[in-house]
Amino acid sequence: MPKIVVKYMETQFSPTKICPICGAHNTLSNTICSECHSSFIKNTTYFCPSCHHENSPDSKFCSSCGDSLLHKAQVQDSDFSIISHAVKDEIRLERLIGEGGMGKVFLGTQLNLNRNIAIKILKMELVGSPEYINRFKNEALILAKLKSPYIIDIMNIKEVNGRPFYIMNYIDGSTLYNKIKELHSNNSKKDISSSAISIIIKLLNALRVAHRENVVHRDIKSQNILLDLENNPYLIDFGISKMRSNQSHTIDGISLGTPGYMSPEQIEGSDIDLRTDIYSTGILLFELLTGRLPFEFESIHELIRKQSSQPFPKIQDFMEGLNTTHFQTIIEKACNTNQELRYKSAEEMEAELKKISSEYSYIYSSNSKNEVPLKQDKSQLKELISTNFSMQFRLIYPGIFDMGALLKDKDSKRNEKPRVKIKIDSPFYVSIIPITQKVYSEITGKKPSKYLNPDSPVENVSYFDALKFLDLLNKNPNSMKENLPGIYRLPTEPEWEYLARGGTNWIYTFGDDKYQLDTYAYYLENSYSTTNPVAQKKPNSLGIYDLMGNVWEWCQDYYDNELLEKKDEDSSYLPKNGKYRVVRGGSFKDSAINLRLSARMGYLPEERTEHIGFRIIYELK
């Protein structure tokens, strides 16, 4: 406990003494502070953090409310006491979970919703600095403005005794810095490549949102990125971020930031824009892949010299045995010393990474640890095969993935939980587009659709209609051009989500930002209340079209409203009977919430509606 300082103030009322914990003025007779409830008598009392009742020092439970008492060191932490008192009606403070240059972060429980939150408070020694107070408040205002699945949500900003603090959502996980150490200690190169692509694409999503609001982060580094339990990154520490304006932050002529990640113009204190974040993201990608920063240096001057005079290091020198050409090209463009030659936006860099993502995603999802061996000779399997009925099928390799709603998905429903790891044992082919009205008519001779267009997906077809179509197709000896024995069928529900995810952990087939839906799907906002021709929107990472929107797609599994008792790496949790069959993918009549990859519904198998169609699988024998 700090030494007690008693100051006598000449006032019109009476002398006061200053609380050594929070600085509040108290009457001389007080034995506990009227503001933070800290004791003025060393080690004689122990105050409950919930109700502030006085307990003996060796108490384990509060004698008033019965709550467990925290360790004495936490109670004696001045910031803990100050915040605990300030939010006592809303939040139960738990413990200190982090500390940085500007603030300390505590874990708390929001009482009315019984959920974890985090509280960040400006350090006591910085309270006298208007610059740091403004930077701290600026961070809160920026966070409140930015809406991305990969940026911390801020709930409120408050002040206690002149010290600002803000409340935000709590991320259960660790930092990307720790993840990089873990990846490289395991030394699995394919896992590293897959994880790097997934993490950087999501980080670029966060930067796209920030840059759209004219916010430049300026301190992108592995320590400023949190990872949740599903390896989703969250960009934090916007303390030195700024709106694009004439303001600048420099110390002795050097821009604030972290050397090693900083662009040349940032180090030199020159004007910067969003391209300095692009540069830092390129450095971060290099670090993810190699486990180190590209340049070693002992001073800023040495770093500047190496940036300007040395060629950018080759990833191949640190990752032997894996093709890194694509990565090298992307990183060198992102980290070009000439701003004009870098990517012009986060979207542009994101698009380049998505182009190469499929190379690392067929067998490995972002959470996969094991490869499922192929039963067939891979050399005999073509990536694309064709039928005699204007249908193309893409090869989907076996693998392991996590099925169900992601933790970050705030729109998820109970029938999408809990998540479970599923193993797809065998390769299969999937039609790259839903069955069109033209193909359905060629096979069955029927035209059931409400919205007549031969290039639009067939609809108004029941589950049983889809089975009849498949029966006719399987009985046709000339349906398949290739000499590849197999059978046509509907996808299982795990197969549908596996191929739709394409090795990623996104909310939608393309990422997590629903504002990109227009370029990937026909849905309520852009369909003009009708189905539309297939393959007009962008495909997913595996080159498969219309997995979201246009029409829901029948799966062969029964539907259960509650997916309980899931077991790892099998499908034993799936219901074996029922009244309904599963449909996936959303339709032209649905809002964005039903186009999420985990969204699922059930329909009677005899039901026909204008918003349900199907695509098919070719299962190898």
Side-chain angles (χ1 to χ4, degrees), residues 321-597:
L322 188 66
N323 181 9
T324 59
T325 305
H326 297 312
F327 284 120
Q328 190 73 30
T329 302
I330 291 172
I331 291 173
E332 288 187 359
K333 183 170 182 178
C335 297
N336 199 299
T337 54
N338 185 342
Q339 291 171 270
E340 300 300 324
L341 298 180
R342 290 180 209 153
Y343 293 107
K344 294 178 176 58
S345 66
E347 293 97 318
E348 190 179 348
M349 185 175 177
E350 182 182 353
E352 289 297 305
L353 279 169
K354 284 182 176 179
K355 285 180 184 177
I356 69 169
S357 63
S358 60
E359 182 176 334
Y360 303 94
S361 297
Y362 279 113
I363 295 176
Y364 289 88
S365 76
S366 59
N367 283 345
S368 290
K369 297 294 182 187
N370 304 301
E371 179 178 353
V372 177
L374 294 175
K375 295 179 182 178
Q376 288 81 4
D377 182 355
K378 182 178 178 180
S379 64
Q380 296 178 1
L381 299 178
K382 297 181 179 180
E383 295 293 334
L384 287 172
I385 59 174
S386 301
T387 71
N388 289 311
F389 296 99
S390 306
M391 288 190 291
Q392 255 193 337
F393 289 75
R394 179 172 290 281
L395 177 63
I396 304 297
Y397 290 105
I400 299 170
F401 81 109
D402 292 324
M403 179 177 172
L406 283 73
L407 291 174
K408 63 184 174 184
D409 186 356
K410 303 298 190 296
D411 294 319
S412 60
K413 302 176 182 178
R414 185 176 181 183
N415 70 346
E416 303 165 19
K417 302 172 184 178
R419 292 196 86 198
V420 66
K421 197 172 289 295
I422 296 290
K423 179 162 60 178
I424 304 296
D425 290 304
S426 303
F428 60 89
Y429 285 91
V430 62
S431 56
I432 65 172
I433 58 175
I435 299 302
T436 62
Q437 296 177 30
K438 177 183 177 183
V439 171
Y440 190 86
S441 178
E442 287 177 350
I443 301 298
T444 66
K446 297 180 180 180
K447 297 182 179 180
S449 299
K450 176 179 178 179
Y451 307 101
L452 295 178
N453 184 327
D455 295 321
S456 292
V458 68
E459 22 83 13
N460 258 341
V461 287
S462 68
Y463 175 85
F464 295 131
D465 292 331
L467 295 186
K468 290 176 184 176
F469 171 90
L470 289 163
D471 186 51
L472 291 170
L473 193 57
N474 282 315
K475 288 178 179 177
N476 189 321
N478 300 315
S479 63
M480 177 58 68
K481 287 183 179 179
E482 317 289 340
N483 183 22
L484 198 62
I487 186 171
Y488 297 102
R489 60 172 174 81
L490 289 173
T492 65
E493 187 177 11
E495 285 172 341
W496 190 96
E497 187 167 329
Y498 176 68
L499 65 90
R501 290 199 176 281
T504 67
N505 264 330
W506 293 329
I507 295 175
Y508 303 97
T509 63
F510 54 83
D512 299 311
D513 184 359
K514 66 181 179 182
Y515 297 107
Q516 293 187 72
L517 268 174
D518 272 1
T519 60
Y520 287 88
Y522 287 111
Y523 68 119
L524 182 64
E525 301 296 330
N526 66 0
S527 66
Y528 298 101
S529 300
T530 182
T531 57
N532 289 268
V534 298
Q536 301 299 302
K537 298 293 187 179
K538 289 184 178 181
N540 79 338
S541 62
L542 301 184
I544 304 170
Y545 294 86
D546 294 87
L547 285 159
M548 301 180 304
N550 237 345
V551 291
W552 288 91
E553 299 178 3
W554 288 110
C555 295
Q556 64 176 251
D557 295 309
Y558 289 103
Y559 173 81
D560 191 334
N561 196 46
E562 295 183 9
L563 288 181
L564 305 178
E565 300 180 5
K566 291 186 175 183
K567 298 180 180 178
D568 279 356
E569 299 186 10
D570 66 24
S571 300
S572 61
Y573 68 89
L574 293 172
K576 302 299 185 289
N577 51 58
K579 290 176 60 177
Y580 305 96
R581 296 283 180 167
V582 172
V583 294
R584 300 295 296 264
S587 78
F588 72 94
K589 299 178 69 174
D590 289 285
S591 61
I593 193 171
N594 282 337
L595 273 67
R596 297 170 302 107
L597 288 178

Side-chain angles (χ1 to χ4, degrees), residues 22 50 84 108 115 131 214 231 280 286 299 312 332 361 376 436 451 472 512 606:
C22 71
S50 298
S84 183
R115 65 177 179 181
E131 179 187 354
N214 292 327
N231 284 339
S280 301
F286 184 94
S299 69
F312 201 89
E332 288 187 359
S361 297
Q376 288 81 4
T436 62
Y451 307 101
L472 291 170
D512 299 311
E606 64 271 18

Side-chain angles (χ1 to χ4, degrees), residues 40 57 74 111 148 178 182 210 218 235 239 271-272 275 299 303 383 398 421 429 436 473 483 502 524 547:
F40 284 107
Q74 292 178 327
L111 298 176
S148 165
N178 292 332
E182 175 193 328
R218 309 201 310 166
L235 186 55
D271 290 339
I272 64 169
R275 290 171 295 184
S299 69
L303 175 60
E383 295 293 334
K421 197 172 289 295
Y429 285 91
T436 62
L473 193 57
N483 183 22
L524 182 64
L547 285 159

Side-chain angles (χ1 to χ4, degrees), residues 49-50 83-94 108-117 119 155-158 165 167:
S50 298
I83 299 175
S84 183
H85 177 67
V87 299
K88 62 181 180 180
D89 295 329
E90 310 167 47
I91 296 166
R92 182 177 67 248
L93 216 58
E94 308 290 354
T109 301
Q110 194 173 8
L111 298 176
N112 59 344
L113 296 176
N114 193 30
R115 65 177 179 181
N116 288 335
I117 52 88
I119 298 178
M155 303 172 187
N156 205 349
I157 181 169
K158 297 187 176 186
F165 67 92
I167 303 166

